[in-house]
Amino acid sequence: MPIPPPLLKGTLHDYQIGHLVDIPPPGPAVPAERRLLNLTLPPWQRPEVWTQAQKRRFVEGIFLGLGCGQYVVNGSDWEPDGQPKPMSAWLLDGQQRISALRDFLAGDLVVFDDVSFPAMPPADQLRFKRRPFPCFELDYTDDENSLKELYDRLNFSGTPHTAEQRVLPSPSIQKDARHD
């Protein structure tokens, strides 16, 4: 059986966190359409589910140099009258991370016990907004079934860890750590 073609066909953009608030919306919102910053959510995507603690740990991880991962959007395309085509710029992966960033940038999320974005010096705000957050932009498609398949593969293929599954360091690593 031949290997199927890649589901991710498009362009990886080296965007920064600030791009999420700087990009214009794809067009006027359709009634009942959900938006996250200037991105449109597919109607079948789950609502926000991360707790405040999960959002906080994600944003703190960015400050600690752990990065943001990448988010995935359907490409944008327009009708001849300038209106966005159906499914243009749908956010397929990254909703929970982007909602954490939205809350932090708005001052609704405090990290490291007392750090809020609005209270940060302007230079530190700029440095935070310039941190990388790449976006994989698919070639535009109006094939909702292929978008759902990609969404499912991106969001349902992992198995969450339990605390009991955490692997402890080997005895040699523990021994080396005591000598530091």
Side-chain angles (χ1 to χ4, degrees):
M1 172 178 183
I3 296 174
L7 291 175
L8 285 175
K9 294 181 229 163
T11 306
L12 180 63
H13 297 282
D14 290 325
Y15 291 147
Q16 300 169 345
I17 290 172
H19 177 77
L20 292 168
V21 292
D22 296 338
I23 59 172
V30 175
E33 186 174 74
R34 295 181 305 140
R35 292 267 175 98
L36 176 57
L37 295 175
N38 289 323
L39 299 166
T40 304
L41 299 170
W44 31 261
Q45 190 170 128
R46 71 180 178 178
E48 293 178 23
V49 296
W50 273 12
T51 65
Q52 288 295 100
Q54 288 171 304
K55 290 178 179 185
R56 190 171 26 264
R57 285 185 59 87
F58 172 70
V59 174
E60 288 173 352
I62 295 169
F63 280 104
L64 296 172
L66 302 178
C68 298
Q70 72 178 20
Y71 60 103
V72 178
V73 298
N74 189 22
S76 297
D77 203 357
W78 295 267
E79 302 288 357
D81 66 359
Q83 295 300 308
K85 285 187 174 182
M87 297 169 252
S88 263
W90 274 7
L91 177 65
L92 300 173
D93 186 50
Q95 176 190 8
Q96 307 306 320
R97 290 170 286 144
I98 292 171
S99 69
L101 290 169
R102 174 206 59 208
D103 292 355
F104 180 66
L105 293 169
D108 297 331
L109 181 69
V110 174
V111 298
F112 300 116
D113 295 324
D114 64 352
V115 176
S116 74
F117 185 80
M120 291 169 53
D124 290 341
Q125 289 180 353
L126 187 57
R127 275 192 274 288
F128 183 81
K129 288 175 73 176
R130 286 186 174 167
R131 290 180 185 255
F133 193 8
C135 170
F136 195 95
E137 183 179 0
L138 300 171
D139 295 335
Y140 171 79
T141 181
D142 61 1
D143 181 352
E144 189 169 0
N145 288 330
S146 70
L147 294 175
K148 281 181 181 178
E149 179 184 357
L150 177 59
Y151 173 82
D152 288 349
R153 287 183 178 271
L154 290 170
N155 292 284
F156 293 103
S157 59
T159 303
H161 286 79
T162 65
E164 295 79 28
Q165 293 172 324
R166 184 169 290 141
V167 178
L168 297 175
S170 70
S172 64
I173 293 174
Q174 290 175 345
K175 179 182 169 190
D176 291 344
R178 288 191 302 258
H179 289 53
D180 289 340

